[in-house]
């Protein structure tokens, strides 16, 4: 009788203990497990980053690096924006001339901003089939304030020109339509306003009903460091990514997660160059700080391709952002990797 009574007491006492342990486990999961799983979901990308010494530049990459340097020095040795309209127009005319020499019809999208007329500049690699889907690859060519804007974003504009050169032979043969665009007015005071060039462009493209697979924003591509602790991040991303700023990053908001994952994986198969990728909510510092923001506003998936700008580049948005600070060799390797990636997408056998 006594033994039976003790057994019932032990069982009765064990039930609250299990409940308490379950509650503690649930709290632990809520506080640590769920955030960790969410962070992993946002930042996980396919493939593996290239690791080790970079391969030496090929002869074609050496020539590419020289052309990139010429473009950056020409358009980004002095401030060029609505506050410096003559220099902005000079940069636009240079970029248009380069594209015309490559045999493209050059399309201008002009609009008024800040008391002057400005323009986006576009060329198109038309597909073999007019019904083919589209990708947009673009970068802004204006600088901020009194900054020359060599890295931000002379490098992105130069990359657009060289992609146009590298993809020119695909005209009327490509499995996808490739729109190559140079945007104006990405920088303040127009950033995230209706006078931001990429937003003007994205809204107009959306109105056509053209099917867009995704957009790549080429933003601040030319600063790299092999020094430990040269790379920084907004919290909590520093827990997951390397502290050495020697990689190119593919970044987007969580709404473009599938596109960011696809692009990161595709680049990793195309280039022997360190790469990182991931997404985060747009409110996180830096995640939507480029022209990809505009395309997401228009309902199109988009990713920023970047050296991470202020999280690595010490001359970001300063008068010291000059052409001599750009690493043209690594810039050429990134542009070459993007070329290989896009050419694979343009193959009839493999669309993005």
């Amino acid at each position: 009788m006594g033994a039976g009574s003790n057994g019932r007491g032990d069982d009765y006492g064990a039930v609250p203990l299990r409940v308490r342990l379950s509650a503690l486990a649930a709290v632990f999961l809520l506080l640590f497990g769920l955030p960790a799983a969410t962070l992993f979901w946002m930042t996980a990308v396919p493939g593996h980053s290239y690791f080790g010494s970079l391969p030496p530049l090929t002869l074609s990459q050496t020539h590419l690096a020289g052309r990139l340097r010429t473009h950056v020095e020409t358009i980004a040795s002095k401030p060029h924006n609505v506050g410096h309209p003559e220099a902005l127009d000079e940069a636009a005319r240079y970029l248009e001339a380069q594209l015309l020499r490559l045999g493209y019809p050059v399309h201008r999208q002009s609009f008024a901003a800040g008391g002057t007329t400005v323009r986006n500049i576009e060329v198109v690699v038309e597909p073999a089939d007019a019904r083919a889907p589209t990708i947009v690859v673009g970068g802004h060519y204006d600088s901020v304030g009194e900054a020359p804007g060599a890295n931000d974003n002379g490098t992105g504009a130069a990359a657009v020109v060289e992609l146009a050169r590298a993809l020119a032979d695909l005209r009327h043969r490509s499995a996808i339509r490739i729109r190559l665009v140079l945007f104006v007015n990405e920088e303040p005071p127009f950033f995230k306003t209706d006078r931001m060039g990429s937003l003007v462009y994205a809204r107009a493209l959306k109105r056509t009903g053209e099917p867009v697979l995704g957009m790549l924003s080429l933003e601040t591509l030319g600063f790299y460091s092999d020094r430990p602790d040269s790379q920084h991040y907004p919290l909590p991303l520093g827990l997951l990514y390397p502290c050495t700023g020697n990689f190119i990053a593919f970044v987007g908001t969580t709404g473009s997660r599938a596109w960011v994952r696809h692009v990161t994986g595709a680049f990793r198969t195309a280039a022997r160059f360190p790469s990182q990728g991931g997404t985060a909510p747009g409110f996180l510092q830096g995640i939507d700080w480029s022209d990809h923001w505009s395309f997401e506003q228009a309902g199109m998936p988009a990713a920023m391709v970047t050296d991470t700008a202020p999280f690595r580049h010490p001359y970001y948005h300063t008068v010291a952002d000059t052409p001599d600070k750009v690493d043209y060799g690594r810039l050429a390797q990134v542009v070459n990797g993007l070329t290989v990636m896009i050419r694979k997408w343009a193959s009839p056998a493999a669309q993005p």
Side-chain angles (χ1 to χ4, degrees):
M1 189 70 181
S5 175
N6 289 340
R8 285 194 299 273
D10 290 343
D11 289 343
Y12 181 78
V15 173
L17 178 61
R18 288 199 297 269
V19 170
R20 288 196 297 271
L21 289 175
S22 297
L24 286 172
V27 170
F28 183 86
L29 180 64
L30 186 63
L31 291 178
F32 300 102
L34 186 59
T38 301
L39 193 60
F40 178 78
W41 179 85
M42 292 190 303
T43 57
V45 290
H48 300 282
S49 174
Y50 178 79
F51 180 80
S53 300
L54 289 177
L57 296 184
T58 64
L59 183 59
S60 65
Q61 289 173 345
T62 299
H63 291 159
L64 172 58
R67 292 193 301 271
L68 290 164
R69 180 188 291 271
T70 297
H71 300 326
V72 172
E73 289 177 345
T74 303
I75 67 175
S77 291
K78 58 186 177 183
H80 49 290
N81 47 55
V82 168
H84 301 272
E86 291 183 1
L88 182 63
D89 183 64
E90 184 180 327
R93 285 187 283 108
Y94 171 83
L95 293 166
E96 289 169 340
Q98 296 303 306
L99 296 169
L100 285 168
R101 288 194 186 105
L102 297 173
Y104 287 95
V106 174
H107 309 292
R108 289 182 175 183
Q109 184 184 42
S110 299
F111 58 98
T116 190
T117 299
V118 296
R119 61 189 181 273
N120 295 322
I121 302 163
E122 179 197 55
V123 296
V124 184
V125 178
E126 295 289 359
D129 185 342
R131 297 168 297 178
T134 293
I135 66 165
V136 180
V137 183
H140 72 91
Y141 67 93
D142 59 311
S143 70
V144 65
E146 298 301 314
N151 196 32
D152 182 18
N153 189 36
T155 55
V160 171
V161 172
E162 289 306 313
L163 285 171
R165 183 190 307 276
L167 302 173
D169 65 302
L170 295 177
R171 283 174 285 186
H172 304 292
R173 298 196 303 113
S174 174
I176 55 174
R177 179 179 294 99
I178 306 167
R179 295 190 175 275
L180 299 161
V181 195
L182 294 151
F183 302 115
V184 73
N185 286 9
E186 189 269 356
E187 298 288 4
F190 301 106
F191 183 61
K192 292 188 177 180
T193 74
D194 63 0
R195 297 294 87 187
M196 184 177 176
S198 55
L199 187 58
V200 172
Y201 181 92
R203 285 173 171 172
L205 181 59
K206 183 70 172 181
R207 287 194 293 269
T208 69
E210 188 171 297
V212 177
L213 296 171
M215 182 269 182
L216 295 176
S217 174
L218 307 186
E219 175 68 65
T220 315
L221 302 176
F223 192 85
Y224 301 90
S225 175
D226 296 313
R227 179 177 56 81
D229 298 322
S230 56
Q231 181 69 50
H232 307 281
Y233 306 91
L235 289 172
L237 299 182
L239 300 173
L240 297 177
Y241 292 109
C243 65
T244 301
N246 63 350
F247 59 86
I248 193 72
F250 297 86
V251 179
T253 68
T254 51
S256 291
R257 178 177 178 268
W259 176 244
V260 172
R261 283 175 52 81
H262 178 76
V263 172
T264 308
F267 182 85
R268 287 178 167 181
T269 65
R272 296 175 66 192
F273 194 90
S275 59
Q276 300 295 329
T279 60
F283 62 76
L284 200 66
Q285 185 185 22
I287 295 299
D288 63 359
W289 285 4
S290 189
D291 294 302
H292 61 304
W293 172 85
S294 299
F295 286 79
E296 291 190 333
Q297 299 309 297
M300 292 175 259
M304 173 172 55
V305 187
T306 180
D307 64 13
T308 75
F311 302 108
R312 177 191 307 171
H313 187 213
Y315 313 110
Y316 176 74
H317 280 194
T318 74
V319 296
D321 183 9
T322 50
D324 59 297
K325 310 291 198 322
V326 173
D327 186 330
Y328 295 99
R330 289 199 239 199
L331 175 60
Q333 289 175 308
V334 169
V335 174
N336 185 79
L338 293 172
T339 300
V340 173
M341 179 181 78
I342 294 169
R343 290 186 72 89
K344 286 183 178 179
W345 289 347
S347 167
Q351 291 189 27

